[in-house]
Structure formats: structure tokens, C-alpha cells
Amino acid sequence: MTAGVFISFEGIDGAGKSTHIQPLADALRQHGRTVTLTREPGGTPLAEKIRALVLNDAMDPLSEALLMFAARRDHLRQVIEPALAAGQVVLCDRFTDATFAYQGCGRGFDSAVLTQLERWVQALPDGGLRQPDLTLLFELAPEAAAARLSGTRAPDKFESQPLAFFRNVAAGYALRAGQDPSRFARLDAGRSREEVRDDVLSVVRQRGWL
Ligand code: TYD
């Protein structure tokens, strides 16, 4: 049977990652793959309820991190692991790197605690750790991302953070990418939509999944 493939999409708010999920899903389906499109926080009825809480209610960074990982645990068990076991491609709009970038570097929360939560929540029966096979990191200057977002919709709790927060989040993503360079593809999201889309497709093609 075809092996499952797990691809996550990451970047600061406004970098445009969500725009590129659908074209990749279409290309993979044309290639004969079954695709599960999902997102974090969210992706299951329980995790979507948690999403509404963390995106709107004020809370301390530990509560925020615990809720992100609680949502992730449900999402992994209900959606991601079954889809991968069935040989599907899972395209996930954000995953654990977002917690390290937003709660870790953005909020300044202890990354050692996040690492422990990651180990518990993403543990595999064989003792390994579930991580995406590929993480597409859309990189854009925080000023440009803010300009793209302004006026598009009412900002949520994170989107309304100041530029300094997003500089820290971007640094957090860069740190994670540096720790696991073979998993990450860093894309310059400041180019045209078509150029970025072509890059996404060619990265996935290079991995042999298209
Ligand atoms: P986002 O993925 O940008 O969705 P939308 O395009 O619908 O706004 O929004 C999710 C927000 O949640 C985003 O601001 C980042 C934040 N977030 C965290 O802070 N930690 C996490 O672990 C995850 C998955 C998301």
C-alpha cells in the first residue's frame, strides 16, 4: 500500500500559507492521491471548540499551550493518524511548529515545557515522535504580512498582536527550521502567488510525492 504523507503549512499570520494548500491538494488528487485537508488548532469537533477558546479568550501562556496540545492530541488520534495509516496525504494548516513559534517565541513561554508536551502528545507506539514529513514555511517580513492582513477581516487574538510579537514568531520558526533542516522547505512568500505556488509544487515533486 502507498505510504501516508504528512505535510504542514507554517508562517506568520498574513504570509499566505492558507492560499497555497488548495492548489497542492488539487495537484495531489490529480496525481491519484487521496488528500485530507485539515488545520490546527482544530480539525475535529472537540479541537474546533478549543480553537474558538484559544483564538478569542484571554489566558496565560501555559493554559494556551496546554489547550493547543489538547486539541492536537484529539486531532492526531481522530484524523491525522487514521488518514496516514490509510495511505493518504494529510495537508495541515499549522502544526506543532506554530506552538513553538507563537507560544514559545511569541509569548516567551518555556520551550522545554513545550518539548515535553510534544513528546507526550506526538508519541508513536514504536517510541518515535510523529512529525510532518515536510513542513512548508512561508517567510515574509512582518511589516509586509501586516499590510496584507489589514482591512481583510476582524483580527483574532493573535492577529491583533503588535509587529514585535510577529518578529519573535518569525524568529521562532527560523529556529525550528534550523533544528530540523531536512524537514523544512523555506519559501520566500514575498513573491507573486504563482511563483510561490510553483515552488510549493516543485518541493513536493522533488520529494517524489507528485
Ligand atoms: P490561522 O492558521 O492563521 O487561521 P486563519 O487563517 O483562519 O486565521 O490562525 C490560527 C492562529 O492560531 C494563528 O494566529 C496562530 C495561532 N496558533 C498558535 O498560537 N499556536 C498553535 O499551536 C497553532 C496551531 C496556532
Side-chain angles (χ1 to χ4, degrees), residues 1-5 76 79-90 130:
M1 197 185 73
T2 325
V5 177
L76 277 165
V79 174
I80 297 175
E81 294 298 348
L84 293 176
Q88 298 182 10
V89 181
V90 176
R130 172 63 70 199

Side-chain angles (χ1 to χ4, degrees), residues 10 15-16 20 136-141 144 148 185-200 203:
E10 298 282 2
H20 295 289
L136 297 163
L137 176 56
F138 296 82
E139 295 190 296
L140 184 65
R148 281 188 186 175
R186 299 173 74 165
L187 307 172
D188 172 5
R191 296 165 301 154
S192 74
R193 184 183 290 220
E194 291 70 28
E195 284 172 301
V196 180
R197 181 203 57 206
D198 290 349
D199 248 21
V200 167
V203 167

Side-chain angles (χ1 to χ4, degrees), residues 3 14 22 29 31 52 60 63 66 106 114 124 132 155 164 177 185:
Q22 193 62 54
R29 284 178 181 134
H31 199 69
D60 81 291
S63 306
L66 290 170
L114 300 181
L124 290 170

Side-chain angles (χ1 to χ4, degrees), residues 13 17-18 39-41 51 55 68 72 93-95 98-99 102-103 153 156 158-159:
D13 291 276
K17 62 183 170 48
S18 308
R39 69 170 181 181
E40 290 210 346
R51 178 187 178 91
L55 262 52
M68 292 294 181
R72 182 160 301 131
D93 192 340
R94 299 192 187 282
F95 193 63
T99 314
Y102 280 77
Q103 280 66 51
R153 59 184 174 189
D156 65 32
F158 294 104
E159 288 163 355

Side-chain angles (χ1 to χ4, degrees), residues 51-182:
R51 178 187 178 91
L53 295 173
V54 290
L55 262 52
N56 296 302
D57 293 15
M59 60 186 73
D60 81 291
L62 175 57
S63 306
E64 205 170 87
L66 290 170
L67 285 172
M68 292 294 181
F69 275 108
R72 182 160 301 131
R73 177 77 179 172
D74 194 54
H75 190 209
L76 277 165
R77 291 176 67 91
Q78 307 282 348
V79 174
I80 297 175
E81 294 298 348
L84 293 176
Q88 298 182 10
V89 181
V90 176
L91 300 183
C92 193
D93 192 340
R94 299 192 187 282
F95 193 63
T96 302
D97 300 309
T99 314
F100 280 85
Y102 280 77
Q103 280 66 51
C105 289
R107 296 267 193 241
F109 188 69
D110 187 352
S111 72
V113 176
L114 300 181
T115 300
Q116 183 60 58
L117 292 168
E118 178 183 41
R119 283 204 197 107
W120 284 334
V121 167
Q122 292 158 234
L124 290 170
D126 67 2
L129 192 70
R130 172 63 70 199
Q131 289 291 14
D133 298 299
L134 169 67
T135 297
L136 297 163
L137 176 56
F138 296 82
E139 295 190 296
L140 184 65
E143 293 79 4
R148 281 188 186 175
L149 277 182
S150 71
T152 51
R153 59 184 174 189
D156 65 32
K157 195 174 88 183
F158 294 104
E159 288 163 355
S160 52
Q161 292 291 318
L163 271 182
F165 175 84
F166 288 106
R167 284 197 195 100
N168 290 337
V169 173
Y173 274 127
L175 191 69
R176 284 284 279 183
Q179 288 164 350
D180 197 356
S182 61

